[in-house]
């Protein structure tokens, strides 16, 4: 399948890495020659330099025989024009546009029809939704929803005082007293898909699947107190802050935004009536102090500078804020960052990338395609949701009789409103939703790929 | 330097070479020539053993692969392939001397076609096949072949570094987004043209074994002949077929791909192709005028002129007549053609028409700049602005080329041949042509040079084929240092 990616920025580069590894024919378009050169050296792709909304450039990039165009340049309008032009030249092409301006947010569905877009994506809004979900369950570093919200995959850290420390997975039930499954462990930067004899150690990051309704029990039994978050401090007043404040306001959480640009402050204050907007430079710690950082239930750092976000998160930790969420634009040095106590890490870029990859895989394989896809463990593993249909093999057979490929694990089976954490006797049948966890080195396009 | 990653690429190159030794092995078996067959079998066993050890040792490599790894892979890959490729010559006892055997195989892989053999016809058919086949493989490139057959490996784009280092020309790009497919398209076109050439030769009643070897020699623009008198003994039809195919193989393969996609306009407007054809036509014209009276008829004169011109400009090195006996104007034209060489991205060697074009345009630009210092000017080729980096690269390529030429010329002079012989020998090896003038003329060979000269010429052939920088990179300290 041939894919054009317009805009070789952060999202473009992340998409290039993922999609070229999965074996698609990629053509990159960007107006910056240097960026394209470095991409061409790193990945097995071709590039065209120029304005992606111009017909000439699109034709040179081969829009006529392309299957998909992903427009992810910095400007929404360029993305739209690019998709519109491409669709005009080649009516069969699928188009995905990144639209991030909140002013267009309400008209997104309308625009999809007018501009014949297959899909629009808003990384900042997605990030806001993700952060809001994390804030609802403090204690987890990351939450991924599956099966219409009935199954969750959460990330936990095994710290020195954790009850999970030195527990073998066979004995896990005795500790947590509820049905959960450890589907991946990140140890020293390497993702492991563990078996029953695996013993958890301090410093491990554990990825657990559980039915949504047992999450509270899980947290309680692990000794992590769940207190409802009632006040949140957002540092930085960008788009994510706006979306997030909107969401939090609705659930009655007190929100404070610290932003250093006065005009933006005024704008935000106008848009968000029940939010406290504070004008001040967050790199000046005295401001954080005087705004009562130590009394907040959570702090979310959302400025445009990764370094500043990390620094403020560290400061928040030292002030004893229970939950910390850090936004990062670059995920290059994750190994180092993981060793810092900066709480959950959110990357709009990665979220956006996951969504698009999921769309691409669904295009590739119309039947039996993944319903959703989440990359976990720093991108080294993937959790993929599938629907069992009549073409799926091994239906109705107990799992202990089915041979799976290496590094593949069935993490949950969801039937009607019940979710089962599977054991050897579990079976899946037509209509069930199955969540599969696999190492990212192998690509699973459809459910039948998991069988050996 | 990521040694293990380099090993991971060299091991499959060796395996590919071993696989390609199977046909000559089978031919030797068929001829009941047990000595040659054993020589090939032994070589295959040695290569596979070394490749296996290398593979095991380099299994767990870090994925880091940058330009310098690409250059080293290509340079070492070619050296390794040459070292192992000369073993059948030695084991079969047909070229017992190691330096001679190495000279012969490097001349083969680099598509030079310079030989140290006095009597080619005494060789066994297995060896003759291997000699000619080395042209074919070296013409399009060994690493390109490996890229085409090996499964597309993981994440990196390291194929790009390999393609850039191995393929000739100032600007190397892919045809399609996937490196594996690019390499496959190139090889499929190459195989198709070679097959056509073979069929045309067969149609002209050339025996099938000679057709295969001649097609290999033409396709790779190599020039090893399997007859002592070169192509002179063949019919005019066969000579003309070879002339046409030599010219075809000297064209950038991207052009054929564009023809396949029906982009006729951009093919017609390709400036390098135009220059290439103009140079060929003019040279044929001038030489025909200059050598009139040397041959019986005008048709024969044109045939010989055309054959020699295309043989030299594409750096093939076949000959139908001894151009060493032509008047000095014609010989000078031939020397000039030796320098120019074929198009970038073809199987031919030399300085390349594309580079010459850029160099001339840069020169014109710089002269204008002297007259109008404030004027902003860019160099265009095929309607597109050429990046200053590429222009710089072309100029420094010329500088490196001249320096290497001078050093080699001085070293080879120690053997005491005439200046013309030495000059043309170095020119013919560095540009991968084969025959030069006087002592190394079309009817002569390189056997009389001393060991040092042969080593220098071997180095010249490799440097010429890989376009200087990969081999030079081997001698740079920063290549081998830790990051």
């Amino acid at each position: 399948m041939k894919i054009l990616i317009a805009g070789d920025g952060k999202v473009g580069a992340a998409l290039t890495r993922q999609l070229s590894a999965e074996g698609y024919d990629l053509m990159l378009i960007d107006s910056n020659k240097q960026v394209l050169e470095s991409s061409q050296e790193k990945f097995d792709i071709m590039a065209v330099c120029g304005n992606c909304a111009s017909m000439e450039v699109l034709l040179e990039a081969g829009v006529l025989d392309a299957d998909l165009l992903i427009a992810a340049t910095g400007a929404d309008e360029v993305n739209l024009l690019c998709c519109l032009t491409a669709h005009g030249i080649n009516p069969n092409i699928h188009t995905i546009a990144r639209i991030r301006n909140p002013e267009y947010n309400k008209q997104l569905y309308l625009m999809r029809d007018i501009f014949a877009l297959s899909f629009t994506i808003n990384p900042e809004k997605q990030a806001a939704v993700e952060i809001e979900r994390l804030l609802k369950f403090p204690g987890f570093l990351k939450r991924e929803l599956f099966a219409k919200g009935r199954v969750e995959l959460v990330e936990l850290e095994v710290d020195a005082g954790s009850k999970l420390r030195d527990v073998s997975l066979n004995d896990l039930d005795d500790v947590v007293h509820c049905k959960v499954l450890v589907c991946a462990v990140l140890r020293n930067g390497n993702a492991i898909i563990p078996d029953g004899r695996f013993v958890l150690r301090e410093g491990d990051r554990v990825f657990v699947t559980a039915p949504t309704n047992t999450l509270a029990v899980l947290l309680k039994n692990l000794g992590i107190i769940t207190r409802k978050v009632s006040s949140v401090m957002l540092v930085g007043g960008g788009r994510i802050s706006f979306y997030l404040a909107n969401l939090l306001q609705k659930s009655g959480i007190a929100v404070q935004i610290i932003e250093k640009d006065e005009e933006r402050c005024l704008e935000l204050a106008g848009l968000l009536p029940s939010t406290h907007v504070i004008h001040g430079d967050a790199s000046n710690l005295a401001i954080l102090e005087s705004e009562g950082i130590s009394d907040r239930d959570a702090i979310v750092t959302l400025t445009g500078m990764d370094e500043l976000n990390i620094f403020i998160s560290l400061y928040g930790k030292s002030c004893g804020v229970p939950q910390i969420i850090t936004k990062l634009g670059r995920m290059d040095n994750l190994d180092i960052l993981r060793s810092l106590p900066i709480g959950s890490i959110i990357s709009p870029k990665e979220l956006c990338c996951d969504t698009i990859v999921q769309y691409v895989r669904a295009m590739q394989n119309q039947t039996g395609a993944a319903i959703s896809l989440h990359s976990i463990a720093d991108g080294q593993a993937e959790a993929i949701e599938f629907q069992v249909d009549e073409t799926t093999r091994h239906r109705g057979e107990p799992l202990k009789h089915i041979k799976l490929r290496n590094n593949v694990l069935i993490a949950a089976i969801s039937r009607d409103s019940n979710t089962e954490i599977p054991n050897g006797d579990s079976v899946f049948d037509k209509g069930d939703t199955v969540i599969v966890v696999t190492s990212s080195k192998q690509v699973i396009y459809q459910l039948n790929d998991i069988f050996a | 330097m990521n040694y293990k990653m380099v090993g991971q690429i060299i091991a499959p190159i060796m395996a590919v070479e071993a696989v390609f030794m199977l046909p000559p092995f089978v031919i030797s078996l068929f001829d009941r020539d047990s000595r040659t067959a054993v020589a090939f079998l032994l070589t295959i066993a040695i290569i596979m053993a070394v490749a296996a050890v290398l593979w095991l040792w380099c299994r767990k490599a870090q994925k880091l692969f940058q330009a310098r790894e690409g250059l080293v892979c290509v340079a070492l890959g070619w050296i390794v392939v040459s070292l192992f490729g000369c073993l059948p010559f030695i084991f079969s006892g047909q070229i017992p001397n190691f330096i001679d055997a190495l000279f012969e195989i490097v001349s083969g892989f680099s598509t030079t076609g310079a030989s140290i053999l006095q009597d080619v016809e005494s060789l066994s058919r297995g060896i003759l096949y291997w000699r000619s086949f080395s042209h074919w493989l070296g013409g399009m490139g060994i690493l390109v072949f490996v890229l085409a057959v090996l499964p597309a490996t993981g994440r990196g784009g390291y194929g790009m570094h390999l393609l850039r280092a191995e393929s000739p020309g100032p600007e190397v790009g892919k045809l399609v987004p996937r490196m594996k497919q690019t390499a496959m398209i190139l090889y499929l076109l190459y195989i198709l043209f070679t097959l056509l050439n073979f069929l045309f030769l067969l149609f002209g009643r050339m025996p099938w074994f000679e057709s295969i070897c001649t097609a290999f020699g033409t396709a790779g623009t190599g020039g090893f002949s399997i007859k002592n008198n070169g192509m002179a003994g063949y019919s005019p039809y066969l000579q003309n077929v070879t002339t046409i195919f030599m010219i075809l193989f000297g064209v950038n393969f991207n052009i054929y791909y564009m023809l396949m996609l029906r982009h006729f306009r951009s093919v017609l407007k390709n400036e390098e192709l135009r220059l290439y054809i103009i140079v060929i036509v003019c040279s044929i014209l001038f030489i025909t005028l200059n050598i009139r009276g040397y041959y019986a008829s005008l048709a024969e004169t044109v045939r010989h002129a055309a054959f020699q011109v295309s043989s030299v400009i594409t750096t093939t090195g076949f000959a139908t007549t001894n151009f060493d006996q032509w008047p000095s104007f014609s010989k000078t034209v031939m020397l000039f053609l030796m320098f120019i060489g074929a198009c970038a991205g073809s199987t031919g060697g030399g300085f390349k028409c594309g580079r010459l074009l850029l160099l001339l345009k840069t020169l014109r630009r710089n002269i204008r700049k002297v007259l109008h210092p404030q004027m902003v000017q860019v160099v265009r080729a095929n309607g597109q602005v050429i990046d200053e980096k590429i222009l710089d690269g072309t100029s420094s390529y010329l500088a490196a080329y001249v320096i290497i030429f001078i050093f080699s010329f001085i070293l080879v002079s120690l053997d005491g041949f005439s200046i013309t012989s030495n000059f043309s020998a170095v020119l013919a090896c560095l540009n991968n042509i084969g025959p030069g003038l006087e002592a190394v003329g079309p009817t002569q060979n390189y056997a009389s040079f001393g060991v040092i000269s042969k080593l220098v010429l071997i180095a010249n052939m490799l440097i010429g084929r890989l376009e200087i920088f990969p081999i030079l990179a081997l001698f740079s300290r920063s290549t081998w240092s830790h990051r």
Side-chain angles (χ1 to χ4, degrees), chain A residues 2 17-27 33 37 40-46 60 440, chain B residues 65 67 152 154-158 160-161 164 174-181 384-385 387 389:
Chain A
K2 192 170 167 191
R17 177 162 34 111
Q18 181 71 28
L19 293 176
S20 89
E22 289 187 18
Y24 299 104
D25 289 352
L26 294 192
M27 191 68 111
K33 206 164 190 172
E37 265 170 31
Q40 266 179 306
E41 292 195 351
K42 274 190 248 153
F43 309 112
D44 197 0
I45 48 127
M46 253 171 114
E60 196 189 332
S440 304
Chain B
F65 197 95
R155 307 200 161 207
Y158 69 73
M160 200 62 215
H161 293 300
R164 242 184 232 156
K174 288 193 254 187
L175 303 170
V176 289
R178 290 267 144 195
M179 179 54 72
K180 186 179 162 69
Q181 272 153 11
Q384 280 184 331
V385 176
D387 205 88
K389 254 197 282 182

Side-chain angles (χ1 to χ4, degrees), chain B residues 27-248:
Chain B
I27 289 173
S28 306
L29 277 186
F30 188 75
D31 286 351
R32 298 180 188 284
D33 177 2
S34 59
R35 187 141 187 228
T36 315
V38 168
F40 277 108
L41 203 60
L42 191 60
T43 314
I44 292 173
I46 292 174
I47 295 179
M48 288 318 267
V50 176
V53 170
L54 191 64
W55 179 256
L56 287 177
W57 180 59
C58 298
R59 249 177 330 173
K60 287 183 187 139
Q62 291 175 318
K63 289 285 170 240
L64 190 74
F65 197 95
Q66 289 176 333
R68 68 170 171 179
E69 275 84 9
L71 291 171
V72 168
C73 264
V74 170
L76 281 185
W78 277 70
I79 290 171
V80 165
V81 164
S82 305
L83 286 175
F84 286 106
C86 74
L87 293 181
F89 296 152
I90 301 172
F91 292 155
S92 67
Q94 299 185 34
I95 309 178
N97 183 314
F98 170 69
I99 297 290
D100 284 353
L102 188 64
F103 186 96
E104 197 73 7
I105 200 68
V106 169
S107 167
F109 280 121
S110 66
T111 74
T112 307
S115 180
I116 43 78
L117 293 167
Q118 312 272 11
D119 182 14
V120 180
E121 286 167 33
S122 69
L123 296 182
S124 69
R125 293 215 296 176
I127 292 289
L128 281 176
Y129 175 91
W130 178 239
R131 227 170 132 249
S132 293
F133 183 78
S134 64
H135 278 333
W136 190 81
L137 190 58
M140 189 52 84
I142 300 161
L143 279 103
V144 176
F145 187 86
V146 171
L147 287 174
V149 292
L150 230 59
T153 13
R155 307 200 161 207
Y158 69 73
M160 200 62 215
H161 293 300
L162 294 179
L163 187 77
R164 242 184 232 156
E166 192 180 42
S167 285
E171 219 179 346
V172 176
K174 288 193 254 187
L175 303 170
V176 289
R178 290 267 144 195
M179 179 54 72
K180 186 179 162 69
Q181 272 153 11
T182 301
M184 273 167 72
I185 290 172
L186 286 175
Y187 256 98
L188 284 177
L189 282 169
Y190 191 42
I191 289 170
L192 183 77
F193 276 90
T194 312
L195 203 64
L196 269 179
N197 188 1
F198 168 70
L199 292 175
F200 270 100
L201 291 175
L202 216 53
F203 185 70
R205 299 221 180 81
M206 190 188 264
W208 69 269
F209 182 76
E210 291 175 30
S211 302
I212 291 179
C213 289
T214 310
F216 283 159
T218 312
T221 67
F224 272 150
S225 180
I226 49 172
K227 294 273 186 239
N228 283 337
N229 62 353
M231 296 290 289
Y234 292 116
S235 69
Y237 164 81
L238 291 175
Q239 293 180 358
N240 288 335
V241 164
T242 306
T243 304
I244 289 167
F245 273 96
M246 282 191 294
I247 295 176
L248 287 179

Side-chain angles (χ1 to χ4, degrees), chain A residues 387-432:
Chain A
Q387 183 114 40
V388 181
D389 59 17
E390 56 269 20
T391 62
T392 310
R393 292 186 281 137
H394 302 296
R395 273 173 295 136
E397 289 178 39
L399 290 188
K400 61 188 171 199
H401 296 319
I402 305 175
K403 199 137 172 50
L404 297 179
R405 265 160 69 170
N406 277 343
N407 283 328
V408 171
L409 185 141
I410 294 184
I413 300 172
S414 182
R415 185 172 307 136
D416 303 327
S417 59
N418 298 317
T419 297
E420 187 185 357
I421 297 301
N423 54 33
D425 297 319
S426 306
V427 292
F428 51 80
D429 226 319
K430 194 182 155 193
D432 293 357

Side-chain angles (χ1 to χ4, degrees), chain B residues 170-471:
Chain B
E171 219 179 346
V172 176
K174 288 193 254 187
L175 303 170
V176 289
R178 290 267 144 195
M179 179 54 72
K180 186 179 162 69
Q181 272 153 11
T182 301
M184 273 167 72
I185 290 172
L186 286 175
Y187 256 98
L188 284 177
L189 282 169
Y190 191 42
I191 289 170
L192 183 77
F193 276 90
T194 312
L195 203 64
L196 269 179
N197 188 1
F198 168 70
L199 292 175
F200 270 100
L201 291 175
L202 216 53
F203 185 70
R205 299 221 180 81
M206 190 188 264
W208 69 269
F209 182 76
E210 291 175 30
S211 302
I212 291 179
C213 289
T214 310
F216 283 159
T218 312
T221 67
F224 272 150
S225 180
I226 49 172
K227 294 273 186 239
N228 283 337
N229 62 353
M231 296 290 289
Y234 292 116
S235 69
Y237 164 81
L238 291 175
Q239 293 180 358
N240 288 335
V241 164
T242 306
T243 304
I244 289 167
F245 273 96
M246 282 191 294
I247 295 176
L248 287 179
F249 282 112
V251 172
N252 192 336
F253 273 64
N254 291 9
I255 299 246
Y256 298 127
Y257 182 66
M258 282 199 271
L259 284 179
M260 243 169 69
L261 298 180
R262 303 172 170 277
H263 293 176
F264 300 116
R265 185 176 298 239
S266 50
V267 171
L268 285 178
K269 283 195 172 164
N270 189 290
E271 295 180 35
E272 182 182 25
L273 185 64
R274 285 183 183 180
L275 180 72
Y276 176 67
I277 291 178
I278 290 172
V279 170
I280 290 178
V281 171
C282 292
S283 307
I284 294 175
L285 198 70
F286 291 147
I287 289 180
T288 308
L289 289 174
N290 190 236
I291 61 171
R292 67 187 186 280
Y294 273 69
Y295 301 98
S297 68
L298 178 68
E300 198 186 342
T301 315
V302 173
R303 190 178 83 228
H304 283 307
F307 190 97
Q308 261 57 236
V309 164
S310 27
S311 167
V312 166
I313 193 169
T314 62
T315 74
T316 310
F318 281 138
T320 56
T321 181
N322 188 359
F323 58 75
D324 197 28
Q325 287 164 0
W326 284 355
S328 85
F329 170 75
S330 295
K331 280 198 275 187
T332 312
V333 171
M334 297 298 270
L335 279 180
F336 169 66
L337 293 179
M338 283 186 185
F339 167 74
I340 297 182
C343 297
S346 70
T347 64
F351 189 73
K352 304 277 153 23
C353 291
R355 278 213 184 84
L356 187 68
L357 195 73
L358 290 184
L359 217 54
L360 291 176
K361 289 189 171 198
T362 316
L363 190 64
R364 191 180 62 182
R365 192 256 318 250
N366 290 355
I367 290 172
R368 271 202 209 150
K369 218 164 193 166
V370 174
L371 302 174
H372 307 279
Q374 303 299 326
M375 196 166 163
V376 176
Q377 287 190 327
V378 290
V379 172
R380 282 170 199 279
N382 302 330
Q384 280 184 331
V385 176
I386 303 293
D387 205 88
E388 288 298 320
K389 254 197 282 182
I390 291 170
L391 298 181
D392 281 352
T394 310
S395 310
S396 56
Y397 184 83
L398 179 69
Y401 182 92
V402 170
I403 291 169
I404 287 168
F405 186 90
I406 292 172
F407 267 101
S408 314
F409 186 32
I410 292 172
L411 284 172
V412 171
S413 309
L414 288 171
D415 273 351
F417 289 97
S418 74
I419 288 191
T420 316
S421 307
N422 294 336
F423 185 84
S424 64
V426 172
L427 195 62
C429 285
L430 191 55
N431 289 322
N432 303 138
I433 296 153
L437 297 171
E438 293 188 5
V440 292
T443 56
Q444 311 289 322
N445 58 60
Y446 286 74
S448 42
F449 279 103
V451 172
I452 294 175
S453 296
K454 277 179 186 160
L455 285 174
V456 169
L457 293 175
I458 289 172
N460 278 339
M461 290 191 272
L462 276 177
I463 288 173
R465 170 60 183 82
L466 299 180
E467 305 220 300
I468 299 179
F469 295 114
I471 299 283

